Amino acid sequence: MMTTRSRRSTPAGEHRPVLLDEVLEVLGPKPGEVAVDCTLGLGGHSRAILERIGPSGRLVGLDWDADNLAHARVRLATDDRGVSVHHSNFAGLLRVLASERLDRVDLILADLGMSSMQVDDAERGFSYVRDGPLDMRMDRSRGRSAQQILATIPEQELSDALRQLGDEPHADRIAHAIVSTREQTPIARTLDLCRVIGGAVGQATTRNQGWRLRPSPGKWSLHPAARTFQALRMLVNRELPNLQELLRVLPQCLAAGGRAAIISFHSGEDRLVKAAFRQSVTQGLYRDVADSPIRASETEKRSNPRSRSAKLRWVTRA
Ligand SMILES: C[S@@+](CC[C@H](N)C(=O)[O-])C[C@H]1O[C@@H](n2cnc3c(N)ncnc32)[C@H](O)[C@@H]1O
């Protein structure tokens, strides 16, 4: 599914993947290896992996977002016989590998969350600074949009989701404001939702009202709607259940000595990754597990605010 996109802040050519050096260090791709990128995005990590596995290697890439896949195809020159891409949820990784006649692979990467192109495209509804329809589906060919979920979700369920998936301290107030507003008028657009959140927490949500991403040099502020948007996105796309399924099948997909790396951006995701890796170590499925997550360097954090919350964990298959 292709769409015309609105102005982007991160052109594809300038995209620098999060924790790139660290990912390459822990995965250690070698010539001839078979790699899977579960979250191709713009293909930044994949491209660097491809360079290392070389022409004798093989790369299988997945993305749940058909628009992103189109860009990744161009970036990775997928007419190359060593590269194949799939429009697929990574929860279906076993099915994808079976379709490629691959039993087990050497490297698996998952860089969770959204790509910059998804955030920058107002029509996708992921951004709290661009006005667009409240969609938020990674795969626009199926599922319920954020607008549809917000129209019916019970107040308590919404409040729980904002707290658990967004770590939102004002979850009750925001959920109550959303439910009261939707009784008067549907909440259909991103900036409508921002206004409701701003009203509930008594804070500015637009530049016109005085909100600033960088209130002073070297300082970044969190948008009052950021946590709610994150929670809704995770709810719409069932991100924790999908990650749980990926973690469940991961040991079956890795060859002996194979490495997996997962970059997460949310405490709930990182907890799942940490627990699954530790449990599999005690079951003898993995050796060499990361004791603590790898974080972005201060230099990367300064140049890419998204990297500030990134946590990289890795394992080696026994
Ligand atoms: C942070 S971006 C990946 C960026 C990529 N590493 C790069 O270097 O360009 C995350 C990507 O994962 C995709 N994604 C999110 N959930 C997914 C899922 N369950 N299955 C497959 N892809 C998913 C998103 O569509 C998005 O393109």
Side-chain angles (χ1 to χ4, degrees):
M1 188 190 317
M2 295 296 298
T3 55
T4 310
R5 289 173 181 281
S6 57
R7 186 174 58 88
R8 292 185 194 109
S9 62
T10 314
E14 291 171 22
H15 168 70
R16 164 123 188 131
V18 168
L19 290 166
L20 177 61
D21 295 339
E22 293 82 354
V23 164
L24 293 173
E25 163 114 30
V26 299
L27 287 181
K30 293 185 215 27
E33 287 193 318
V34 181
V36 174
D37 186 344
C38 294
T39 50
L40 265 180
L42 300 181
H45 286 109
S46 272
R47 217 183 136 130
I49 291 171
L50 258 183
E51 278 163 20
R52 284 157 182 82
I53 61 178
S56 57
R58 191 162 156 197
L59 176 89
V60 178
L62 283 61
D63 204 293
W64 208 13
D65 181 329
D67 292 6
N68 275 356
L69 266 192
H71 290 271
R73 274 200 179 96
V74 174
R75 193 141 199 239
L76 300 174
T78 49
D79 46 350
D80 181 328
R81 285 180 35 222
V83 182
S84 51
V85 301
H86 293 254
H87 180 211
S88 171
N89 186 336
F90 55 58
L93 179 59
L94 280 176
R95 220 175 23 250
V96 170
L97 294 190
S99 75
E100 291 281 340
R101 297 180 191 281
L102 284 169
D103 234 7
R104 289 172 184 264
V105 302
D106 302 303
L107 314 172
I108 299 180
L109 169 67
D111 173 16
L112 304 174
M114 304 171 285
S115 72
S116 51
M117 287 214 337
Q118 287 167 325
V119 187
D120 289 349
D121 185 346
E123 291 306 305
R124 305 299 304 268
F126 290 111
S127 168
Y128 41 75
V129 293
R130 293 174 168 80
D131 192 33
L134 263 177
D135 188 330
M136 295 199 189
R137 287 170 302 163
M138 301 268 179
D139 180 357
R140 287 194 279 178
S141 66
R142 70 195 76 200
R144 294 172 77 211
S145 68
Q147 180 186 348
Q148 288 170 315
I149 290 180
L150 278 186
T152 55
I153 188 169
E155 184 173 331
Q156 189 57 52
E157 206 179 306
L158 177 57
S159 170
D160 291 345
L162 298 184
R163 201 171 297 105
Q164 285 157 18
L165 302 176
D167 300 318
E168 174 54 68
H170 306 299
D172 289 344
R173 259 197 271 167
I174 294 173
H176 184 68
I178 287 172
V179 169
S180 309
T181 306
R182 81 183 181 201
E183 283 164 6
Q184 314 298 321
T185 171
I187 305 174
R189 301 192 63 85
T190 50
L191 294 193
D192 293 339
L193 179 58
C194 281
R195 270 188 290 277
V196 175
I197 296 167
V201 301
Q203 285 185 44
T205 55
T206 63
R207 282 186 66 81
N208 286 347
Q209 294 167 350
W211 182 78
R212 294 284 179 276
L213 177 64
R214 303 185 76 164
S216 56
K219 278 205 134 194
W220 299 86
S221 56
L222 188 68
H223 191 279
R227 293 187 167 106
T228 299
F229 271 62
Q230 172 181 291
L232 276 178
R233 193 203 78 216
M234 293 181 75
L235 196 62
V236 166
N237 296 292
R238 297 178 38 80
E239 293 185 26
L240 293 184
N242 287 334
L243 175 59
Q244 264 168 325
E245 181 56 15
L246 175 66
L247 291 164
R248 189 184 73 78
V249 301
L250 210 53
Q252 298 170 56
C253 301
L254 276 176
R259 287 85 67 202
I262 300 191
I263 305 175
S264 62
F265 295 86
H266 173 257
S267 54
E269 288 172 341
D270 184 57
R271 268 196 299 277
L272 287 183
V273 178
K274 180 176 166 183
F277 283 2
R278 291 222 167 132
Q279 190 191 10
S280 298
V281 168
T282 57
Q283 293 167 337
L285 295 170
Y286 293 139
R287 59 178 163 84
D288 295 347
V289 59
D291 285 334
S292 48
I294 297 173
R295 309 295 304 258
S297 65
E298 287 309 314
T299 316
E300 181 171 4
K301 283 185 196 165
R302 268 195 299 279
S303 64
N304 178 5
R306 187 168 179 270
S307 71
R308 285 176 298 168
S309 52
K311 288 185 181 167
L312 166 64
R313 289 189 187 268
W314 53 270
V315 276
T316 305
R317 184 73 168 89

Short mmCIF file of all heavy atoms in Angstrom, two decimals, residues 25-74:
data_model
loop_
_atom_site.label_atom_id
_atom_site.label_comp_id
_atom_site.label_asym_id
_atom_site.label_seq_id
_atom_site.Cartn_x
_atom_site.Cartn_y
_atom_site.Cartn_z
N GLU A 25 28.63 -4.88 16.94
CA GLU A 25 29.59 -5.50 17.87
C GLU A 25 28.99 -6.77 18.50
O GLU A 25 29.64 -7.82 18.54
CB GLU A 25 29.92 -4.47 18.95
CG GLU A 25 30.57 -5.06 20.17
CD GLU A 25 32.00 -4.59 20.35
OE1 GLU A 25 32.27 -3.47 19.91
OE2 GLU A 25 32.79 -5.38 20.89
N VAL A 26 27.74 -6.71 18.97
CA VAL A 26 27.19 -7.90 19.67
C VAL A 26 26.76 -8.98 18.67
O VAL A 26 26.84 -10.17 18.98
CB VAL A 26 26.04 -7.56 20.65
CG1 VAL A 26 26.52 -6.62 21.73
CG2 VAL A 26 24.82 -7.01 19.96
N LEU A 27 26.30 -8.58 17.49
CA LEU A 27 25.89 -9.61 16.51
C LEU A 27 27.11 -10.18 15.78
O LEU A 27 27.10 -11.34 15.36
CB LEU A 27 24.90 -9.05 15.50
CG LEU A 27 23.47 -8.79 16.00
CD1 LEU A 27 22.59 -8.26 14.88
CD2 LEU A 27 22.84 -10.05 16.60
N GLY A 28 28.11 -9.35 15.58
CA GLY A 28 29.36 -9.81 14.94
C GLY A 28 29.12 -10.52 13.62
O GLY A 28 29.57 -11.67 13.46
N PRO A 29 28.42 -9.90 12.65
CA PRO A 29 28.12 -10.59 11.39
C PRO A 29 29.40 -10.96 10.64
O PRO A 29 30.33 -10.16 10.57
CB PRO A 29 27.33 -9.55 10.57
CG PRO A 29 27.10 -8.39 11.46
CD PRO A 29 28.00 -8.49 12.64
N LYS A 30 29.41 -12.19 10.08
CA LYS A 30 30.61 -12.66 9.35
C LYS A 30 30.22 -13.05 7.93
O LYS A 30 29.06 -13.43 7.69
CB LYS A 30 31.20 -13.87 10.06
CG LYS A 30 31.77 -13.55 11.43
CD LYS A 30 32.43 -14.78 11.99
CE LYS A 30 32.29 -14.94 13.49
NZ LYS A 30 31.19 -14.36 14.18
N PRO A 31 31.20 -13.01 7.01
CA PRO A 31 30.89 -13.36 5.62
C PRO A 31 30.21 -14.73 5.54
O PRO A 31 30.62 -15.67 6.23
CB PRO A 31 32.26 -13.38 4.95
CG PRO A 31 33.09 -12.45 5.78
CD PRO A 31 32.59 -12.58 7.18
N GLY A 32 29.15 -14.80 4.74
CA GLY A 32 28.48 -16.08 4.50
C GLY A 32 27.37 -16.40 5.49
O GLY A 32 26.66 -17.39 5.32
N GLU A 33 27.18 -15.56 6.52
CA GLU A 33 26.15 -15.89 7.52
C GLU A 33 24.75 -15.52 7.02
O GLU A 33 24.57 -14.72 6.10
CB GLU A 33 26.46 -15.19 8.84
CG GLU A 33 27.64 -15.84 9.56
CD GLU A 33 27.79 -15.41 11.01
OE1 GLU A 33 27.62 -14.21 11.29
OE2 GLU A 33 28.10 -16.27 11.85
N VAL A 34 23.77 -16.15 7.69
CA VAL A 34 22.36 -15.88 7.36
C VAL A 34 21.77 -15.01 8.47
O VAL A 34 21.82 -15.39 9.65
CB VAL A 34 21.55 -17.19 7.25
CG1 VAL A 34 20.10 -16.88 6.87
CG2 VAL A 34 22.19 -18.12 6.23
N ALA A 35 21.26 -13.84 8.09
CA ALA A 35 20.77 -12.88 9.09
C ALA A 35 19.29 -12.60 8.86
O ALA A 35 18.82 -12.59 7.71
CB ALA A 35 21.56 -11.59 8.97
N VAL A 36 18.57 -12.34 9.97
CA VAL A 36 17.17 -11.92 9.86
C VAL A 36 17.03 -10.58 10.57
O VAL A 36 17.43 -10.45 11.73
CB VAL A 36 16.23 -12.94 10.53
CG1 VAL A 36 14.79 -12.41 10.53
CG2 VAL A 36 16.28 -14.28 9.81
N ASP A 37 16.49 -9.60 9.86
CA ASP A 37 16.13 -8.33 10.49
C ASP A 37 14.61 -8.34 10.62
O ASP A 37 13.90 -8.26 9.62
CB ASP A 37 16.62 -7.16 9.63
CG ASP A 37 16.39 -5.82 10.33
OD1 ASP A 37 15.61 -5.78 11.30
OD2 ASP A 37 16.98 -4.81 9.88
N CYS A 38 14.14 -8.46 11.87
CA CYS A 38 12.69 -8.57 12.11
C CYS A 38 11.97 -7.25 11.90
O CYS A 38 10.75 -7.22 11.79
CB CYS A 38 12.44 -9.01 13.55
SG CYS A 38 13.01 -10.65 13.89
N THR A 39 12.71 -6.14 11.92
CA THR A 39 12.10 -4.81 11.84
C THR A 39 12.92 -3.96 10.86
O THR A 39 13.69 -3.09 11.28
CB THR A 39 12.11 -4.15 13.23
OG1 THR A 39 13.46 -4.25 13.76
CG2 THR A 39 11.16 -4.82 14.20
N LEU A 40 12.74 -4.22 9.58
CA LEU A 40 13.58 -3.58 8.57
C LEU A 40 13.58 -2.05 8.65
O LEU A 40 14.61 -1.42 8.47
CB LEU A 40 13.08 -3.95 7.18
CG LEU A 40 13.72 -5.12 6.48
CD1 LEU A 40 13.06 -5.30 5.12
CD2 LEU A 40 15.22 -4.93 6.34
N GLY A 41 12.40 -1.47 8.88
CA GLY A 41 12.30 0.00 8.89
C GLY A 41 12.84 0.55 7.59
O GLY A 41 12.41 0.17 6.50
N LEU A 42 13.81 1.45 7.68
CA LEU A 42 14.41 2.01 6.47
C LEU A 42 15.63 1.21 6.03
O LEU A 42 16.36 1.61 5.14
CB LEU A 42 14.80 3.46 6.71
CG LEU A 42 13.63 4.37 7.09
CD1 LEU A 42 14.10 5.79 7.27
CD2 LEU A 42 12.55 4.30 6.04
N GLY A 43 15.88 0.10 6.70
CA GLY A 43 16.95 -0.79 6.27
C GLY A 43 18.34 -0.35 6.71
O GLY A 43 19.33 -0.84 6.18
N GLY A 44 18.42 0.55 7.69
CA GLY A 44 19.73 1.05 8.12
C GLY A 44 20.60 -0.03 8.74
O GLY A 44 21.74 -0.24 8.33
N HIS A 45 20.06 -0.74 9.75
CA HIS A 45 20.85 -1.81 10.36
C HIS A 45 21.14 -2.90 9.32
O HIS A 45 22.25 -3.43 9.25
CB HIS A 45 20.09 -2.45 11.54
CG HIS A 45 20.04 -1.60 12.77
ND1 HIS A 45 18.89 -0.97 13.20
CD2 HIS A 45 21.00 -1.26 13.67
CE1 HIS A 45 19.15 -0.30 14.30
NE2 HIS A 45 20.42 -0.45 14.61
N SER A 46 20.12 -3.22 8.53
CA SER A 46 20.27 -4.30 7.55
C SER A 46 21.38 -4.02 6.56
O SER A 46 22.13 -4.91 6.18
CB SER A 46 18.97 -4.50 6.77
OG SER A 46 18.15 -5.40 7.45
N ARG A 47 21.45 -2.80 6.15
CA ARG A 47 22.48 -2.45 5.16
C ARG A 47 23.88 -2.69 5.71
O ARG A 47 24.75 -3.25 5.04
CB ARG A 47 22.33 -0.97 4.81
CG ARG A 47 22.60 -0.72 3.37
CD ARG A 47 22.51 0.72 3.10
NE ARG A 47 23.64 1.07 2.27
CZ ARG A 47 23.52 1.75 1.17
NH1 ARG A 47 22.35 2.19 0.79
NH2 ARG A 47 24.56 2.03 0.45
N ALA A 48 24.06 -2.30 6.97
CA ALA A 48 25.38 -2.50 7.59
C ALA A 48 25.65 -4.00 7.78
O ALA A 48 26.78 -4.45 7.61
CB ALA A 48 25.43 -1.77 8.92
N ILE A 49 24.60 -4.75 8.11
CA ILE A 49 24.78 -6.21 8.28
C ILE A 49 25.13 -6.84 6.93
O ILE A 49 26.04 -7.67 6.82
CB ILE A 49 23.51 -6.84 8.90
CG1 ILE A 49 23.35 -6.39 10.36
CG2 ILE A 49 23.55 -8.37 8.81
CD1 ILE A 49 22.05 -6.78 11.01
N LEU A 50 24.40 -6.39 5.89
CA LEU A 50 24.65 -6.92 4.53
C LEU A 50 26.10 -6.73 4.12
O LEU A 50 26.72 -7.62 3.52
CB LEU A 50 23.77 -6.18 3.53
CG LEU A 50 22.52 -6.86 3.01
CD1 LEU A 50 21.84 -5.98 1.97
CD2 LEU A 50 22.84 -8.23 2.43
N GLU A 51 26.62 -5.54 4.42
CA GLU A 51 28.02 -5.27 4.04
C GLU A 51 28.96 -6.28 4.69
O GLU A 51 29.97 -6.65 4.11
CB GLU A 51 28.43 -3.86 4.48
CG GLU A 51 27.95 -2.81 3.49
CD GLU A 51 27.98 -1.42 4.09
OE1 GLU A 51 28.69 -1.20 5.10
OE2 GLU A 51 27.27 -0.54 3.55
N ARG A 52 28.61 -6.71 5.90
CA ARG A 52 29.51 -7.64 6.61
C ARG A 52 29.30 -9.10 6.24
O ARG A 52 30.24 -9.88 6.26
CB ARG A 52 29.37 -7.44 8.12
CG ARG A 52 30.11 -6.16 8.55
CD ARG A 52 29.61 -5.58 9.82
NE ARG A 52 30.33 -4.36 10.15
CZ ARG A 52 30.05 -3.17 9.62
NH1 ARG A 52 29.07 -3.02 8.72
NH2 ARG A 52 30.76 -2.10 9.97
N ILE A 53 28.06 -9.49 5.92
CA ILE A 53 27.86 -10.91 5.56
C ILE A 53 28.26 -11.14 4.10
O ILE A 53 28.49 -12.28 3.70
CB ILE A 53 26.42 -11.42 5.84
CG1 ILE A 53 25.37 -10.63 5.04
CG2 ILE A 53 26.11 -11.39 7.32
CD1 ILE A 53 23.94 -11.14 5.25
N GLY A 54 28.33 -10.06 3.32
CA GLY A 54 28.87 -10.13 1.97
C GLY A 54 27.99 -10.90 1.00
O GLY A 54 26.90 -11.37 1.35
N PRO A 55 28.49 -11.06 -0.23
CA PRO A 55 27.68 -11.69 -1.28
C PRO A 55 27.38 -13.16 -1.01
O PRO A 55 26.39 -13.69 -1.53
CB PRO A 55 28.54 -11.53 -2.54
CG PRO A 55 29.87 -11.04 -2.11
CD PRO A 55 29.78 -10.55 -0.71
N SER A 56 28.18 -13.80 -0.17
CA SER A 56 27.89 -15.22 0.11
C SER A 56 26.88 -15.36 1.27
O SER A 56 26.42 -16.46 1.56
CB SER A 56 29.18 -15.95 0.48
OG SER A 56 29.77 -15.30 1.59
N GLY A 57 26.55 -14.25 1.92
CA GLY A 57 25.58 -14.30 3.02
C GLY A 57 24.16 -14.15 2.51
O GLY A 57 23.93 -13.96 1.31
N ARG A 58 23.23 -14.22 3.45
CA ARG A 58 21.83 -14.09 3.05
C ARG A 58 21.10 -13.26 4.12
O ARG A 58 21.32 -13.47 5.32
CB ARG A 58 21.25 -15.50 3.00
CG ARG A 58 19.91 -15.54 2.35
CD ARG A 58 19.60 -16.96 1.93
NE ARG A 58 18.17 -17.11 1.83
CZ ARG A 58 17.54 -18.26 1.81
NH1 ARG A 58 18.21 -19.39 1.87
NH2 ARG A 58 16.22 -18.31 1.70
N LEU A 59 20.26 -12.35 3.66
CA LEU A 59 19.51 -11.51 4.60
C LEU A 59 18.02 -11.65 4.33
O LEU A 59 17.57 -11.49 3.20
CB LEU A 59 19.89 -10.03 4.44
CG LEU A 59 19.08 -9.09 5.32
CD1 LEU A 59 19.73 -8.89 6.68
CD2 LEU A 59 18.85 -7.75 4.67
N VAL A 60 17.27 -11.94 5.39
CA VAL A 60 15.80 -11.98 5.30
C VAL A 60 15.29 -10.82 6.16
O VAL A 60 15.64 -10.73 7.34
CB VAL A 60 15.25 -13.32 5.84
CG1 VAL A 60 13.73 -13.32 5.78
CG2 VAL A 60 15.82 -14.48 5.03
N GLY A 61 14.50 -9.96 5.57
CA GLY A 61 13.99 -8.80 6.31
C GLY A 61 12.48 -8.84 6.41
O GLY A 61 11.79 -9.23 5.46
N LEU A 62 11.96 -8.41 7.59
CA LEU A 62 10.51 -8.36 7.79
C LEU A 62 10.14 -6.94 8.18
O LEU A 62 10.90 -6.27 8.88
CB LEU A 62 10.10 -9.23 8.98
CG LEU A 62 10.01 -10.73 8.91
CD1 LEU A 62 11.34 -11.36 8.60
CD2 LEU A 62 9.49 -11.26 10.24
N ASP A 63 8.99 -6.50 7.75
CA ASP A 63 8.38 -5.32 8.37
C ASP A 63 6.87 -5.45 8.23
O ASP A 63 6.38 -5.98 7.23
CB ASP A 63 8.87 -4.01 7.74
CG ASP A 63 8.72 -2.84 8.72
OD1 ASP A 63 7.56 -2.48 9.03
OD2 ASP A 63 9.74 -2.33 9.22
N TRP A 64 6.19 -4.97 9.23
CA TRP A 64 4.74 -5.08 9.28
C TRP A 64 4.09 -3.93 8.52
O TRP A 64 2.89 -3.93 8.30
CB TRP A 64 4.33 -5.02 10.75
CG TRP A 64 3.08 -5.73 11.08
CD1 TRP A 64 2.40 -6.61 10.31
CD2 TRP A 64 2.36 -5.62 12.31
NE1 TRP A 64 1.30 -7.07 10.98
CE2 TRP A 64 1.28 -6.48 12.22
CE3 TRP A 64 2.56 -4.90 13.49
CZ2 TRP A 64 0.35 -6.62 13.25
CZ3 TRP A 64 1.65 -5.04 14.50
CH2 TRP A 64 0.55 -5.89 14.39
N ASP A 65 4.93 -2.96 8.16
CA ASP A 65 4.42 -1.76 7.50
C ASP A 65 4.83 -1.81 6.03
O ASP A 65 6.01 -1.73 5.70
CB ASP A 65 5.05 -0.54 8.20
CG ASP A 65 4.56 0.76 7.61
OD1 ASP A 65 4.26 0.81 6.41
OD2 ASP A 65 4.50 1.75 8.36
N ALA A 66 3.83 -1.94 5.16
CA ALA A 66 4.11 -2.11 3.74
C ALA A 66 4.81 -0.88 3.16
O ALA A 66 5.63 -1.00 2.25
CB ALA A 66 2.82 -2.39 2.99
N ASP A 67 4.49 0.32 3.68
CA ASP A 67 5.13 1.54 3.15
C ASP A 67 6.63 1.51 3.42
O ASP A 67 7.44 1.84 2.57
CB ASP A 67 4.55 2.79 3.82
CG ASP A 67 3.11 3.02 3.41
OD1 ASP A 67 2.55 2.15 2.72
OD2 ASP A 67 2.55 4.06 3.79
N ASN A 68 7.00 1.12 4.64
CA ASN A 68 8.42 1.06 4.99
C ASN A 68 9.15 0.04 4.13
O ASN A 68 10.29 0.25 3.71
CB ASN A 68 8.60 0.67 6.46
CG ASN A 68 8.52 1.88 7.37
OD1 ASN A 68 8.41 3.00 6.90
ND2 ASN A 68 8.57 1.65 8.65
N LEU A 69 8.47 -1.08 3.86
CA LEU A 69 9.10 -2.13 3.06
C LEU A 69 9.51 -1.62 1.69
O LEU A 69 10.57 -1.97 1.18
CB LEU A 69 8.12 -3.29 2.84
CG LEU A 69 8.18 -4.44 3.82
CD1 LEU A 69 7.36 -5.59 3.27
CD2 LEU A 69 9.61 -4.89 4.07
N ALA A 70 8.65 -0.78 1.10
CA ALA A 70 8.96 -0.26 -0.23
C ALA A 70 10.28 0.50 -0.20
O ALA A 70 11.11 0.37 -1.11
CB ALA A 70 7.81 0.64 -0.71
N HIS A 71 10.48 1.28 0.87
CA HIS A 71 11.73 2.06 0.97
C HIS A 71 12.91 1.15 1.26
O HIS A 71 14.00 1.34 0.72
CB HIS A 71 11.59 3.13 2.05
CG HIS A 71 10.65 4.21 1.63
ND1 HIS A 71 11.07 5.32 0.94
CD2 HIS A 71 9.32 4.32 1.75
CE1 HIS A 71 10.02 6.07 0.67
NE2 HIS A 71 8.95 5.49 1.15
N ALA A 72 12.69 0.17 2.14
CA ALA A 72 13.79 -0.74 2.48
C ALA A 72 14.23 -1.52 1.24
O ALA A 72 15.42 -1.75 1.03
CB ALA A 72 13.35 -1.70 3.58
N ARG A 73 13.26 -1.89 0.39
CA ARG A 73 13.59 -2.63 -0.85
C ARG A 73 14.57 -1.84 -1.69
O ARG A 73 15.55 -2.37 -2.19
CB ARG A 73 12.32 -2.84 -1.69
CG ARG A 73 11.57 -4.05 -1.29
CD ARG A 73 10.62 -4.52 -2.41
NE ARG A 73 9.95 -5.70 -1.95
CZ ARG A 73 8.75 -5.71 -1.39
NH1 ARG A 73 8.07 -4.60 -1.27
NH2 ARG A 73 8.23 -6.83 -0.95
N VAL A 74 14.30 -0.53 -1.83
CA VAL A 74 15.17 0.31 -2.65
C VAL A 74 16.55 0.40 -1.99
O VAL A 74 17.58 0.21 -2.62
CB VAL A 74 14.56 1.73 -2.79
CG1 VAL A 74 15.53 2.67 -3.50
CG2 VAL A 74 13.23 1.65 -3.51
#
